[in-house]
Each structure stands twice: as structure tokens, then as C-alpha cells.
Amino acid sequence: MTAPIPRDIPDLPAIPGMSTLLPSHVPATAVTSPAHRPLAAVYRLLIAATAALGVTIDLIIGTPVRVLSHFAIQSNILLAVVLTLSARRAWLARRPLPATLTGATLLYVTIAALVHHLLLTDTATPFSLTSAPDVHTRWQALASHILHTVTPAAALLDWLLLTTPGRLHLRQTSAWLLYPVAYLVFSLGRGELITPGTPGRYLYPFLDVDHHGYKSTLANALLLGLSFYALAVLLVILDHVRPNPRRHPGKTGFRLRPPVG
């Protein structure tokens, strides 16, 4: 016959050298796994398909190597890939992609849109991603509208309405600028490899060394870089002040199960 189990069991003494775990007010089972989000998945797939359409139109009209060398094309390709992966995770109820990746993608397509609308639309020579502005003008106009207006605006709405705020941080902004800096080196290096006097030697007029010289070109690049960094910081600030569209009023961020027993 076994001895009865006492009702009050004294706490065991702490073992020297071991840290004491803090008590948790929320059990681990109270946090639910990511939910199945079919509408978000479909919306992101539509954005990805639209970006792919704009890139495909320019690839058919222009020279593929030149078309793929543009920042707007590269950023929209990245957007299509990232949103496709994000749509798959939303459909399969998996955790979202890292905020560093999604934030960088949003920043790059926003940069492409702002540069196009603020610096390239009012130039004397029509800017074209295909280097042939007089060929298939309607198709080029459609592709330009998709890549510089539709997909950036749609990506911004996806970020504002379908993502949880507070995931971006200032420490990520410096890493985001590595790609624009690498693109600057690529663009200038590409121009040096092309015979001087060749039309379209430099992809963007504000990076045209033949016209501005290296001093003014690098000054333009520095000014743009500072603007890009300010834009990245602004995205982080907005991410921390915007409301959470996925949180139901009157509910916390955790979903608790009913008590047992």
C-alpha cells in the first residue's frame, strides 16, 4: 500500500548556477497558427501576374539584355517573385516572408515609380525602357503604366491593408540601399564597356556621364541615394504608426482558447 500524496508539495530549492524562468501569463497553446488567407493570396498573384505582363511586353518589343538592365524591370521581377511566394504562404497558412525582404521589394518598386514620374516624364527626349520609343507606342505606354504606376500602387495597398504593422525597423534600411548602390556601379560600368557615342550608352539621363561628367553624375547619384534613404526611413515610420488592418476591434493580438476543466 502506497503512502498518500500530500496536497501541498513544497517548492524545490533552486539549483545554483541556473537562471530562473520567468512565469508566462499566456500559455504556448494560446497563440494560433497563421490563418488561411485566400483573398490575400489571389490579390498577390494578380499583382505578380500584372508585373510579369509589363516586363514581358517590354522584352518582346525591345532588346532583352537592355530591357533587363533597367531598375524598374528588375524591381518588378523581384516584386513578382516575392508576391508569388507570399501568396503561396498566405494560401497554405504559413508564416509570412521576412519583413526585410518584403520591405526592400516595396521600397524598390516605389523608387522606380517616383523616379519615373518625377524625373523622366517631363524630359525633352521621351524615356523608353526598350530604347525604341517610336515602336509600338501604345504597347510601350501600357507596359510603362503597369510597371511604374499599377504594380507599385498595388504593392503599397497590399502592404497597408494585408500585412501586420510594426515589422520594419531602422536597422534594415542600410541593407536595403545595397542594391541601389550595386545598380549604380553596374550602370556606370556598363556605360564604360560600350563604345562612346553609342545611343543609349547610359540607361538613365541623370546618370549620363557623357552629358554631365563624372562629378555631376556622382553628385546626382548621391542626392538620389539620400532621397532613397529618407524614403526607406519614412516607410519604417509609417509601418509603426499605421493601424493594424488584421486585428479585430476589441480583441488582442492573441487568440485564447477557452479554459479547460
Side-chain angles (χ1 to χ4, degrees):
M1 184 174 180
T2 58
I5 301 176
R7 291 186 177 181
D8 297 328
I9 301 177
D11 294 334
L12 295 176
I15 301 176
M18 295 186 64
S19 59
T20 304
L21 297 178
L22 296 177
S24 174
H25 300 287
V26 180
T29 55
V31 183
T32 60
S33 58
H36 174 59
R37 304 173 62 201
L39 294 180
V42 171
Y43 179 69
R44 289 167 183 168
L45 282 179
L46 287 176
I47 302 175
T50 304
L53 174 62
V55 172
T56 302
I57 292 174
D58 279 338
L59 287 175
I60 293 175
I61 296 175
T63 305
V65 174
R66 178 180 174 83
V67 170
L68 292 173
S69 298
H70 284 89
F71 187 89
I73 296 292
Q74 295 176 11
S75 60
N76 272 271
I77 292 175
L78 177 63
L79 178 68
V81 173
V82 168
L83 286 187
T84 299
L85 296 176
S86 183
R88 183 175 182 272
R89 292 193 173 213
W91 184 269
L92 298 177
R94 294 182 179 177
R95 296 190 179 278
L97 293 174
T100 301
L101 176 60
T102 56
T105 305
L106 176 64
L107 175 66
Y108 300 152
V109 294
T110 305
I111 287 174
L114 291 178
V115 168
H116 176 80
H117 289 291
L118 297 179
L119 300 178
L120 300 176
T121 54
D122 294 332
T123 56
T125 303
F127 179 78
S128 172
L129 296 175
T130 64
S131 72
D134 298 329
V135 179
H136 301 290
T137 54
R138 291 185 179 180
W139 285 105
Q140 288 199 61
L142 174 62
S144 179
H145 184 67
I146 288 174
L147 299 175
H148 297 115
T149 304
V150 176
T151 55
L156 186 62
L157 288 177
D158 173 73
W159 175 64
L160 290 173
L161 303 179
L162 299 177
T163 62
T164 303
R167 299 179 63 212
L168 303 182
H169 303 282
L170 286 176
R171 63 177 179 270
Q172 300 167 336
T173 55
S174 299
W176 291 347
L177 293 183
L178 292 178
Y179 169 53
V181 171
Y183 183 82
L184 172 65
V185 175
F186 159 77
S187 181
L188 296 179
R190 174 186 177 277
E192 290 298 322
L193 295 176
I194 297 177
T195 305
T198 303
R201 182 184 177 193
Y202 293 96
L203 297 170
Y204 293 95
F206 47 81
L207 297 179
D208 192 337
V209 178
D210 290 338
H211 182 72
H212 301 290
Y214 263 105
K215 184 177 180 180
S216 296
T217 299
L218 293 179
N220 291 337
L222 178 60
L223 182 60
L224 287 173
L226 293 175
S227 301
F228 297 163
Y229 182 75
L231 178 61
V233 172
L234 178 61
L235 287 178
V236 174
I237 294 175
L238 290 177
D239 188 53
H240 285 266
V241 300
R242 65 189 178 97
N244 189 350
R246 298 179 57 187
R247 178 177 295 176
H248 299 285
K251 295 185 179 180
T252 62
F254 295 109
R255 190 174 303 170
L256 302 180
R257 296 178 178 176
V260 179

